Short mmCIF file of all heavy atoms in Angstrom, two decimals:
data_model
loop_
_atom_site.label_atom_id
_atom_site.label_comp_id
_atom_site.label_asym_id
_atom_site.label_seq_id
_atom_site.Cartn_x
_atom_site.Cartn_y
_atom_site.Cartn_z
N MET A 1 65.49 149.50 179.64
CA MET A 1 66.01 148.66 180.69
C MET A 1 66.31 147.29 180.11
O MET A 1 65.44 146.62 179.57
CB MET A 1 64.95 148.56 181.80
CG MET A 1 65.28 147.52 182.83
SD MET A 1 64.17 147.49 184.23
CE MET A 1 62.66 146.90 183.52
N ALA A 2 67.51 146.88 180.22
CA ALA A 2 67.91 145.56 179.72
C ALA A 2 67.45 144.48 180.69
O ALA A 2 67.54 144.63 181.90
CB ALA A 2 69.42 145.50 179.56
N THR A 3 66.95 143.39 180.12
CA THR A 3 66.46 142.27 180.92
C THR A 3 66.92 140.98 180.28
O THR A 3 66.81 140.81 179.06
CB THR A 3 64.92 142.29 180.99
OG1 THR A 3 64.50 143.53 181.54
CG2 THR A 3 64.40 141.17 181.85
N ASN A 4 67.41 140.07 181.08
CA ASN A 4 67.79 138.76 180.58
C ASN A 4 66.67 137.78 180.91
O ASN A 4 66.25 137.68 182.07
CB ASN A 4 69.10 138.28 181.24
CG ASN A 4 70.27 139.10 180.77
OD1 ASN A 4 70.32 139.51 179.63
ND2 ASN A 4 71.19 139.34 181.67
N LEU A 5 66.20 137.08 179.91
CA LEU A 5 65.13 136.10 180.09
C LEU A 5 65.55 134.77 179.49
O LEU A 5 66.22 134.73 178.46
CB LEU A 5 63.85 136.56 179.39
CG LEU A 5 63.23 137.86 179.86
CD1 LEU A 5 62.09 138.25 178.94
CD2 LEU A 5 62.73 137.72 181.28
N SER A 6 65.09 133.71 180.10
CA SER A 6 65.31 132.39 179.53
C SER A 6 64.00 131.97 178.86
O SER A 6 63.03 131.63 179.54
CB SER A 6 65.68 131.40 180.65
OG SER A 6 65.82 130.11 180.10
N ILE A 7 63.97 132.05 177.54
CA ILE A 7 62.76 131.76 176.76
C ILE A 7 62.99 130.49 175.97
O ILE A 7 64.06 130.29 175.38
CB ILE A 7 62.42 132.93 175.81
CG1 ILE A 7 62.18 134.20 176.62
CG2 ILE A 7 61.21 132.60 174.96
CD1 ILE A 7 61.97 135.44 175.77
N ASP A 8 61.99 129.63 175.96
CA ASP A 8 62.07 128.38 175.20
C ASP A 8 62.43 128.70 173.75
O ASP A 8 61.69 129.43 173.07
CB ASP A 8 60.71 127.67 175.28
CG ASP A 8 60.67 126.35 174.56
OD1 ASP A 8 61.37 126.18 173.54
OD2 ASP A 8 59.92 125.47 175.01
N PRO A 9 63.55 128.21 173.25
CA PRO A 9 63.99 128.55 171.89
C PRO A 9 62.99 128.13 170.81
O PRO A 9 62.85 128.84 169.81
CB PRO A 9 65.31 127.78 171.72
CG PRO A 9 65.68 127.24 173.04
CD PRO A 9 64.49 127.34 173.94
N GLN A 10 62.31 127.02 171.00
CA GLN A 10 61.31 126.59 170.01
C GLN A 10 60.14 127.56 169.96
O GLN A 10 59.64 127.88 168.88
CB GLN A 10 60.83 125.18 170.31
CG GLN A 10 61.89 124.12 170.08
CD GLN A 10 61.41 122.74 170.47
OE1 GLN A 10 60.60 122.57 171.37
NE2 GLN A 10 61.93 121.73 169.77
N LEU A 11 59.71 128.02 171.13
CA LEU A 11 58.62 129.00 171.16
C LEU A 11 59.03 130.31 170.51
O LEU A 11 58.26 130.93 169.76
CB LEU A 11 58.17 129.27 172.60
CG LEU A 11 57.36 128.20 173.28
CD1 LEU A 11 57.08 128.58 174.73
CD2 LEU A 11 56.06 127.94 172.55
N LEU A 12 60.24 130.71 170.77
CA LEU A 12 60.73 131.96 170.20
C LEU A 12 60.83 131.86 168.68
O LEU A 12 60.44 132.79 167.96
CB LEU A 12 62.08 132.33 170.81
CG LEU A 12 62.61 133.71 170.51
CD1 LEU A 12 61.59 134.80 170.79
CD2 LEU A 12 63.88 133.96 171.30
N GLU A 13 61.33 130.75 168.17
CA GLU A 13 61.41 130.56 166.72
C GLU A 13 60.02 130.53 166.09
O GLU A 13 59.80 131.10 165.03
CB GLU A 13 62.17 129.28 166.38
CG GLU A 13 63.67 129.38 166.64
CD GLU A 13 64.33 130.52 165.87
OE1 GLU A 13 64.02 130.71 164.67
OE2 GLU A 13 65.17 131.21 166.48
N LEU A 14 59.09 129.87 166.75
CA LEU A 14 57.71 129.83 166.25
C LEU A 14 57.09 131.23 166.26
O LEU A 14 56.40 131.62 165.32
CB LEU A 14 56.87 128.86 167.08
CG LEU A 14 55.45 128.59 166.60
CD1 LEU A 14 55.43 128.10 165.16
CD2 LEU A 14 54.79 127.58 167.52
N ALA A 15 57.37 131.99 167.32
CA ALA A 15 56.86 133.37 167.40
C ALA A 15 57.42 134.21 166.26
O ALA A 15 56.69 135.01 165.65
CB ALA A 15 57.22 133.99 168.74
N LEU A 16 58.69 134.05 165.95
CA LEU A 16 59.29 134.76 164.82
C LEU A 16 58.60 134.39 163.51
O LEU A 16 58.29 135.24 162.68
CB LEU A 16 60.78 134.44 164.72
CG LEU A 16 61.70 135.21 165.65
CD1 LEU A 16 63.08 134.56 165.70
CD2 LEU A 16 61.82 136.66 165.19
N GLU A 17 58.34 133.10 163.36
CA GLU A 17 57.74 132.60 162.12
C GLU A 17 56.32 133.13 161.94
O GLU A 17 55.99 133.64 160.87
CB GLU A 17 57.73 131.07 162.16
CG GLU A 17 57.16 130.42 160.93
CD GLU A 17 57.14 128.91 161.08
OE1 GLU A 17 58.11 128.35 161.62
OE2 GLU A 17 56.13 128.31 160.67
N VAL A 18 55.49 133.00 162.95
CA VAL A 18 54.08 133.38 162.79
C VAL A 18 53.85 134.88 162.86
O VAL A 18 52.87 135.38 162.30
CB VAL A 18 53.16 132.66 163.80
CG1 VAL A 18 53.25 131.16 163.65
CG2 VAL A 18 53.44 133.07 165.23
N SER A 19 54.76 135.61 163.51
CA SER A 19 54.56 137.05 163.63
C SER A 19 55.03 137.80 162.40
O SER A 19 54.56 138.90 162.12
CB SER A 19 55.30 137.59 164.86
OG SER A 19 56.70 137.55 164.65
N GLY A 20 55.99 137.22 161.70
CA GLY A 20 56.56 137.92 160.55
C GLY A 20 57.59 138.95 160.96
O GLY A 20 58.12 139.67 160.11
N GLU A 21 57.87 139.04 162.25
CA GLU A 21 58.88 139.99 162.72
C GLU A 21 60.27 139.49 162.32
O GLU A 21 60.47 138.30 162.13
CB GLU A 21 58.80 140.16 164.24
CG GLU A 21 57.50 140.75 164.72
CD GLU A 21 57.29 142.20 164.30
OE1 GLU A 21 58.25 142.86 163.87
OE2 GLU A 21 56.15 142.67 164.40
N ARG A 22 61.22 140.42 162.23
CA ARG A 22 62.56 140.04 161.78
C ARG A 22 63.53 139.82 162.93
O ARG A 22 64.58 139.22 162.74
CB ARG A 22 63.10 141.10 160.84
CG ARG A 22 62.29 141.13 159.56
CD ARG A 22 62.63 142.20 158.58
NE ARG A 22 63.91 142.87 158.76
CZ ARG A 22 64.50 143.59 157.84
NH1 ARG A 22 63.94 143.71 156.67
NH2 ARG A 22 65.65 144.19 158.09
N THR A 23 63.19 140.33 164.12
CA THR A 23 64.10 140.17 165.25
C THR A 23 63.36 139.51 166.42
O THR A 23 62.13 139.59 166.52
CB THR A 23 64.66 141.52 165.73
OG1 THR A 23 63.58 142.32 166.26
CG2 THR A 23 65.36 142.26 164.61
N LYS A 24 64.14 138.91 167.30
CA LYS A 24 63.56 138.28 168.49
C LYS A 24 62.91 139.34 169.37
O LYS A 24 61.82 139.13 169.90
CB LYS A 24 64.64 137.52 169.27
CG LYS A 24 65.16 136.31 168.54
CD LYS A 24 66.30 135.67 169.30
CE LYS A 24 66.88 134.50 168.53
NZ LYS A 24 68.03 133.91 169.23
N LYS A 25 63.57 140.47 169.51
CA LYS A 25 63.03 141.54 170.33
C LYS A 25 61.67 141.99 169.80
O LYS A 25 60.72 142.17 170.56
CB LYS A 25 63.99 142.73 170.36
CG LYS A 25 63.47 143.90 171.16
CD LYS A 25 64.43 145.07 171.15
CE LYS A 25 63.83 146.24 171.91
NZ LYS A 25 64.69 147.41 171.89
N ALA A 26 61.55 142.17 168.49
CA ALA A 26 60.29 142.61 167.90
C ALA A 26 59.20 141.56 168.08
O ALA A 26 58.05 141.89 168.35
CB ALA A 26 60.50 142.92 166.41
N ALA A 27 59.57 140.29 167.95
CA ALA A 27 58.59 139.21 168.13
C ALA A 27 58.08 139.16 169.57
O ALA A 27 56.89 139.00 169.82
CB ALA A 27 59.20 137.87 167.73
N VAL A 28 58.99 139.30 170.52
CA VAL A 28 58.59 139.29 171.93
C VAL A 28 57.75 140.51 172.26
O VAL A 28 56.73 140.42 172.95
CB VAL A 28 59.83 139.20 172.85
CG1 VAL A 28 59.46 139.42 174.31
CG2 VAL A 28 60.52 137.86 172.68
N THR A 29 58.13 141.66 171.74
CA THR A 29 57.35 142.88 171.97
C THR A 29 55.94 142.74 171.41
O THR A 29 54.96 143.07 172.09
CB THR A 29 58.06 144.10 171.33
OG1 THR A 29 59.33 144.25 171.95
CG2 THR A 29 57.25 145.37 171.51
N ARG A 30 55.83 142.23 170.19
CA ARG A 30 54.50 142.05 169.60
C ARG A 30 53.69 141.06 170.41
O ARG A 30 52.49 141.26 170.65
CB ARG A 30 54.58 141.58 168.16
CG ARG A 30 53.16 141.31 167.63
CD ARG A 30 53.05 140.98 166.22
NE ARG A 30 53.37 142.13 165.40
CZ ARG A 30 53.16 142.13 164.10
NH1 ARG A 30 52.67 141.07 163.50
NH2 ARG A 30 53.47 143.18 163.38
N ALA A 31 54.31 139.97 170.84
CA ALA A 31 53.60 138.96 171.62
C ALA A 31 53.07 139.57 172.93
O ALA A 31 51.92 139.31 173.32
CB ALA A 31 54.52 137.78 171.93
N LEU A 32 53.88 140.37 173.57
CA LEU A 32 53.43 141.02 174.81
C LEU A 32 52.29 142.00 174.55
O LEU A 32 51.32 142.05 175.32
CB LEU A 32 54.60 141.72 175.49
CG LEU A 32 55.63 140.81 176.13
CD1 LEU A 32 56.85 141.62 176.56
CD2 LEU A 32 55.04 140.07 177.31
N GLU A 33 52.38 142.76 173.48
CA GLU A 33 51.31 143.71 173.14
C GLU A 33 50.00 142.98 172.87
O GLU A 33 48.93 143.40 173.34
CB GLU A 33 51.71 144.54 171.92
CG GLU A 33 52.82 145.53 172.18
CD GLU A 33 53.39 146.16 170.92
OE1 GLU A 33 53.11 145.68 169.80
OE2 GLU A 33 54.13 147.15 171.08
N GLU A 34 50.07 141.88 172.13
CA GLU A 34 48.86 141.12 171.82
C GLU A 34 48.30 140.44 173.07
O GLU A 34 47.08 140.38 173.25
CB GLU A 34 49.15 140.10 170.72
CG GLU A 34 49.39 140.77 169.38
CD GLU A 34 49.65 139.78 168.25
OE1 GLU A 34 49.44 138.56 168.45
OE2 GLU A 34 50.06 140.24 167.17
N PHE A 35 49.17 139.96 173.94
CA PHE A 35 48.73 139.36 175.19
C PHE A 35 47.96 140.37 176.04
O PHE A 35 46.88 140.09 176.54
CB PHE A 35 49.95 138.83 175.96
CG PHE A 35 49.64 138.35 177.34
CD1 PHE A 35 49.11 137.08 177.54
CD2 PHE A 35 49.87 139.15 178.45
CE1 PHE A 35 48.82 136.63 178.82
CE2 PHE A 35 49.59 138.71 179.72
CZ PHE A 35 49.05 137.44 179.91
N ILE A 36 48.52 141.57 176.16
CA ILE A 36 47.88 142.62 176.95
C ILE A 36 46.53 143.01 176.34
O ILE A 36 45.54 143.16 177.05
CB ILE A 36 48.81 143.84 177.07
CG1 ILE A 36 50.01 143.47 177.95
CG2 ILE A 36 48.08 145.06 177.63
CD1 ILE A 36 51.17 144.45 177.87
N ALA A 37 46.48 143.15 175.02
CA ALA A 37 45.24 143.53 174.35
C ALA A 37 44.16 142.47 174.58
O ALA A 37 43.00 142.81 174.86
CB ALA A 37 45.48 143.71 172.85
N ARG A 38 44.53 141.19 174.48
CA ARG A 38 43.54 140.13 174.70
C ARG A 38 43.03 140.12 176.12
O ARG A 38 41.84 139.93 176.37
CB ARG A 38 44.13 138.77 174.35
CG ARG A 38 44.03 138.42 172.88
CD ARG A 38 44.28 136.95 172.64
NE ARG A 38 45.57 136.51 173.15
CZ ARG A 38 46.72 136.60 172.48
NH1 ARG A 38 46.74 137.11 171.28
NH2 ARG A 38 47.85 136.17 173.03
N ARG A 39 43.90 140.33 177.08
CA ARG A 39 43.48 140.36 178.48
C ARG A 39 42.55 141.54 178.74
O ARG A 39 41.59 141.43 179.49
CB ARG A 39 44.69 140.42 179.41
CG ARG A 39 45.48 139.13 179.44
CD ARG A 39 44.61 138.01 180.04
NE ARG A 39 45.25 136.73 179.92
CZ ARG A 39 45.69 136.02 180.94
NH1 ARG A 39 45.54 136.44 182.17
NH2 ARG A 39 46.28 134.86 180.73
N ARG A 40 42.82 142.68 178.12
CA ARG A 40 41.94 143.84 178.29
C ARG A 40 40.58 143.57 177.67
O ARG A 40 39.55 143.94 178.22
CB ARG A 40 42.59 145.08 177.70
CG ARG A 40 43.70 145.61 178.55
CD ARG A 40 44.30 146.86 177.98
NE ARG A 40 45.27 147.43 178.89
CZ ARG A 40 46.19 148.31 178.56
NH1 ARG A 40 46.26 148.74 177.32
NH2 ARG A 40 47.04 148.76 179.46
N GLN A 41 40.58 142.92 176.50
CA GLN A 41 39.31 142.58 175.85
C GLN A 41 38.52 141.61 176.71
O GLN A 41 37.30 141.74 176.83
CB GLN A 41 39.57 141.97 174.48
CG GLN A 41 40.06 142.96 173.46
CD GLN A 41 40.51 142.30 172.18
OE1 GLN A 41 40.56 141.08 172.07
NE2 GLN A 41 40.86 143.10 171.19
N LYS A 42 39.19 140.66 177.31
CA LYS A 42 38.53 139.70 178.18
C LYS A 42 37.86 140.42 179.35
O LYS A 42 36.74 140.09 179.73
CB LYS A 42 39.54 138.67 178.69
CG LYS A 42 38.93 137.59 179.52
CD LYS A 42 39.98 136.60 179.98
CE LYS A 42 39.36 135.55 180.89
NZ LYS A 42 40.37 134.67 181.45
N GLY A 43 38.53 141.41 179.88
CA GLY A 43 37.95 142.19 180.97
C GLY A 43 36.68 142.90 180.55
O GLY A 43 35.72 142.98 181.31
N LEU A 44 36.66 143.41 179.32
CA LEU A 44 35.46 144.07 178.82
C LEU A 44 34.33 143.07 178.62
O LEU A 44 33.17 143.36 178.90
CB LEU A 44 35.76 144.79 177.50
CG LEU A 44 36.66 146.01 177.61
CD1 LEU A 44 36.98 146.56 176.21
CD2 LEU A 44 36.00 147.09 178.45
N LEU A 45 34.67 141.88 178.13
CA LEU A 45 33.65 140.86 177.91
C LEU A 45 32.99 140.43 179.22
O LEU A 45 31.82 140.09 179.25
CB LEU A 45 34.24 139.64 177.21
CG LEU A 45 34.57 139.82 175.74
CD1 LEU A 45 35.26 138.59 175.19
CD2 LEU A 45 33.30 140.10 174.94
N GLU A 46 33.75 140.47 180.30
CA GLU A 46 33.20 140.09 181.60
C GLU A 46 32.15 141.08 182.08
O GLU A 46 31.34 140.77 182.95
CB GLU A 46 34.32 139.93 182.62
CG GLU A 46 35.18 138.71 182.33
CD GLU A 46 36.42 138.62 183.21
OE1 GLU A 46 36.65 139.54 184.03
OE2 GLU A 46 37.15 137.63 183.07
N LEU A 47 32.14 142.29 181.50
CA LEU A 47 31.13 143.30 181.86
C LEU A 47 29.80 143.05 181.17
O LEU A 47 28.79 143.63 181.57
CB LEU A 47 31.62 144.70 181.50
CG LEU A 47 32.79 145.24 182.31
CD1 LEU A 47 33.24 146.59 181.76
CD2 LEU A 47 32.42 145.36 183.78
N MET A 48 29.80 142.20 180.15
CA MET A 48 28.57 141.91 179.41
C MET A 48 27.48 141.45 180.37
O MET A 48 27.70 140.56 181.19
CB MET A 48 28.80 140.84 178.35
CG MET A 48 29.70 141.26 177.23
SD MET A 48 28.89 142.30 176.02
CE MET A 48 27.89 141.11 175.19
N GLY A 49 26.33 142.09 180.26
CA GLY A 49 25.20 141.71 181.09
C GLY A 49 25.22 142.32 182.48
O GLY A 49 24.29 142.14 183.25
N GLN A 50 26.26 143.07 182.81
CA GLN A 50 26.35 143.66 184.13
C GLN A 50 26.06 145.16 184.12
O GLN A 50 25.90 145.76 185.18
CB GLN A 50 27.75 143.43 184.72
CG GLN A 50 28.04 141.98 184.96
CD GLN A 50 29.40 141.79 185.61
OE1 GLN A 50 29.98 142.72 186.13
NE2 GLN A 50 29.89 140.56 185.59
N LEU A 51 26.00 145.75 182.95
CA LEU A 51 25.74 147.17 182.85
C LEU A 51 24.27 147.41 182.53
O LEU A 51 23.65 146.65 181.78
CB LEU A 51 26.61 147.79 181.75
CG LEU A 51 28.12 147.62 181.93
CD1 LEU A 51 28.84 148.16 180.71
CD2 LEU A 51 28.59 148.31 183.18
N GLU A 52 23.72 148.46 183.12
CA GLU A 52 22.32 148.79 182.84
C GLU A 52 22.22 149.43 181.46
O GLU A 52 23.07 150.22 181.08
CB GLU A 52 21.79 149.74 183.90
CG GLU A 52 21.63 149.09 185.25
CD GLU A 52 20.96 150.02 186.24
OE1 GLU A 52 20.14 150.86 185.82
OE2 GLU A 52 21.28 149.91 187.42
N TRP A 53 21.18 149.12 180.75
CA TRP A 53 20.97 149.64 179.41
C TRP A 53 19.71 150.49 179.41
O TRP A 53 18.65 150.04 179.84
CB TRP A 53 20.81 148.48 178.42
CG TRP A 53 20.65 148.91 177.01
CD1 TRP A 53 19.50 148.95 176.29
CD2 TRP A 53 21.67 149.38 176.13
NE1 TRP A 53 19.73 149.42 175.03
CE2 TRP A 53 21.07 149.68 174.90
CE3 TRP A 53 23.04 149.55 176.27
CZ2 TRP A 53 21.78 150.16 173.82
CZ3 TRP A 53 23.74 150.05 175.18
CH2 TRP A 53 23.12 150.33 173.98
N ASP A 54 19.83 151.71 178.96
CA ASP A 54 18.68 152.61 178.87
C ASP A 54 18.03 152.42 177.51
O ASP A 54 18.53 152.88 176.50
CB ASP A 54 19.15 154.06 179.06
CG ASP A 54 18.00 155.05 179.03
OD1 ASP A 54 16.83 154.63 178.88
OD2 ASP A 54 18.28 156.25 179.18
N ARG A 55 16.91 151.72 177.50
CA ARG A 55 16.23 151.42 176.23
C ARG A 55 15.67 152.67 175.56
O ARG A 55 15.40 152.68 174.36
CB ARG A 55 15.13 150.40 176.45
CG ARG A 55 15.66 149.05 176.88
CD ARG A 55 14.52 148.03 176.97
NE ARG A 55 15.00 146.76 177.46
CZ ARG A 55 15.53 145.81 176.71
NH1 ARG A 55 15.64 145.99 175.42
NH2 ARG A 55 15.94 144.69 177.25
N ASP A 56 15.48 153.75 176.30
CA ASP A 56 14.93 154.98 175.74
C ASP A 56 16.00 155.93 175.21
O ASP A 56 15.68 156.97 174.66
CB ASP A 56 14.10 155.71 176.81
CG ASP A 56 12.90 154.89 177.25
OD1 ASP A 56 12.34 154.16 176.39
OD2 ASP A 56 12.53 154.98 178.43
N TYR A 57 17.25 155.60 175.36
CA TYR A 57 18.34 156.44 174.90
C TYR A 57 18.34 156.50 173.38
O TYR A 57 18.34 155.48 172.70
CB TYR A 57 19.68 155.91 175.41
CG TYR A 57 20.86 156.72 174.96
CD1 TYR A 57 21.08 157.99 175.45
CD2 TYR A 57 21.77 156.21 174.03
CE1 TYR A 57 22.17 158.75 175.04
CE2 TYR A 57 22.86 156.95 173.62
CZ TYR A 57 23.05 158.21 174.12
OH TYR A 57 24.13 158.96 173.71
N GLN A 58 18.33 157.71 172.85
CA GLN A 58 18.29 157.92 171.39
C GLN A 58 19.70 158.29 170.91
O GLN A 58 20.04 159.46 170.80
CB GLN A 58 17.28 159.02 171.05
CG GLN A 58 15.86 158.70 171.49
CD GLN A 58 15.30 157.50 170.76
OE1 GLN A 58 15.54 157.33 169.56
NE2 GLN A 58 14.58 156.67 171.47
N TYR A 59 20.49 157.28 170.62
CA TYR A 59 21.87 157.54 170.24
C TYR A 59 22.00 158.30 168.94
O TYR A 59 22.94 159.07 168.75
CB TYR A 59 22.67 156.24 170.18
CG TYR A 59 22.29 155.31 169.05
CD1 TYR A 59 22.93 155.37 167.83
CD2 TYR A 59 21.27 154.39 169.21
CE1 TYR A 59 22.59 154.54 166.80
CE2 TYR A 59 20.91 153.55 168.18
CZ TYR A 59 21.56 153.62 166.98
OH TYR A 59 21.21 152.80 165.95
N LYS A 60 21.06 158.14 168.03
CA LYS A 60 21.15 158.85 166.76
C LYS A 60 20.99 160.34 166.94
O LYS A 60 21.64 161.13 166.26
CB LYS A 60 20.12 158.31 165.76
CG LYS A 60 20.46 156.93 165.25
CD LYS A 60 19.49 156.47 164.20
CE LYS A 60 19.87 155.08 163.71
NZ LYS A 60 18.95 154.58 162.71
N SER A 61 20.13 160.76 167.86
CA SER A 61 19.94 162.19 168.09
C SER A 61 21.17 162.83 168.72
O SER A 61 21.41 164.01 168.56
CB SER A 61 18.71 162.43 168.98
OG SER A 61 18.93 161.90 170.27
N GLU A 62 21.99 162.03 169.40
CA GLU A 62 23.22 162.56 170.00
C GLU A 62 24.31 162.79 168.97
O GLU A 62 25.29 163.46 169.25
CB GLU A 62 23.73 161.58 171.07
CG GLU A 62 22.80 161.41 172.25
CD GLU A 62 22.66 162.70 173.07
OE1 GLU A 62 23.64 163.46 173.18
OE2 GLU A 62 21.55 162.95 173.57
N ARG A 63 24.14 162.26 167.77
CA ARG A 63 25.15 162.43 166.72
C ARG A 63 25.13 163.81 166.08
O ARG A 63 26.11 164.24 165.50
CB ARG A 63 24.94 161.38 165.62
CG ARG A 63 25.25 160.00 166.05
CD ARG A 63 25.06 159.06 164.89
NE ARG A 63 25.27 157.69 165.28
CZ ARG A 63 24.98 156.65 164.52
NH1 ARG A 63 24.45 156.84 163.32
NH2 ARG A 63 25.20 155.44 164.94
N SER A 64 23.99 164.50 166.16
CA SER A 64 23.89 165.81 165.49
C SER A 64 24.79 166.81 166.17
O SER A 64 25.04 166.76 167.37
CB SER A 64 22.44 166.29 165.51
OG SER A 64 22.03 166.54 166.83
N ARG A 65 25.30 167.74 165.39
CA ARG A 65 26.23 168.75 165.92
C ARG A 65 25.55 170.12 165.86
O ARG A 65 25.96 171.00 165.13
CB ARG A 65 27.50 168.76 165.11
CG ARG A 65 28.22 167.44 165.21
CD ARG A 65 29.49 167.49 164.41
NE ARG A 65 30.10 166.17 164.40
CZ ARG A 65 31.26 165.90 164.97
NH1 ARG A 65 31.93 166.84 165.56
NH2 ARG A 65 31.74 164.68 164.91
N ASP A 66 24.55 170.28 166.63
CA ASP A 66 23.81 171.56 166.64
C ASP A 66 24.50 172.60 167.46
O ASP A 66 25.20 172.41 168.35
CB ASP A 66 22.40 171.36 167.19
CG ASP A 66 21.57 170.45 166.29
OD1 ASP A 66 21.75 170.54 165.07
OD2 ASP A 66 20.78 169.66 166.82
#
């Protein structure tokens, strides 16, 4: 799907420079992928301390393939 966007030219040039991508499209795609990944990671970090931890769980015994 083609989309027309008005992107700050200085930001786009900087994105090209720091990403190492060769095209504007590739730089924008990478930027969006990294943005999404960071937001997902942030969501996981917000779960810290909210999940119950079973101190008796023996994770090493679950590794065996009997």
Side-chain angles (χ1 to χ4, degrees):
M1 169 174 69
T3 302
N4 291 324
L5 299 172
S6 177
I7 300 174
D8 181 328
Q10 290 177 329
L11 286 176
L12 191 51
E13 287 303 317
L14 186 56
L16 279 166
E17 181 182 319
V18 300
S19 70
E21 296 293 345
R22 294 175 17 163
T23 65
K24 292 175 183 177
K25 178 181 177 182
V28 170
T29 299
R30 176 174 291 190
L32 288 171
E33 290 169 347
E34 290 181 11
F35 173 81
I36 291 166
R38 275 195 303 275
R39 289 295 172 113
R40 286 182 174 162
Q41 289 171 354
K42 184 179 177 186
L44 291 175
L45 287 175
E46 290 172 358
L47 292 175
M48 293 282 286
Q50 295 183 16
L51 301 175
E52 290 186 31
W53 182 257
D54 182 1
R55 295 185 184 274
D56 297 326
Y57 179 70
Q58 300 296 321
Y59 69 93
K60 288 184 180 179
S61 66
E62 296 295 326
R63 291 182 183 169
S64 65
R65 297 181 186 245
D66 296 324

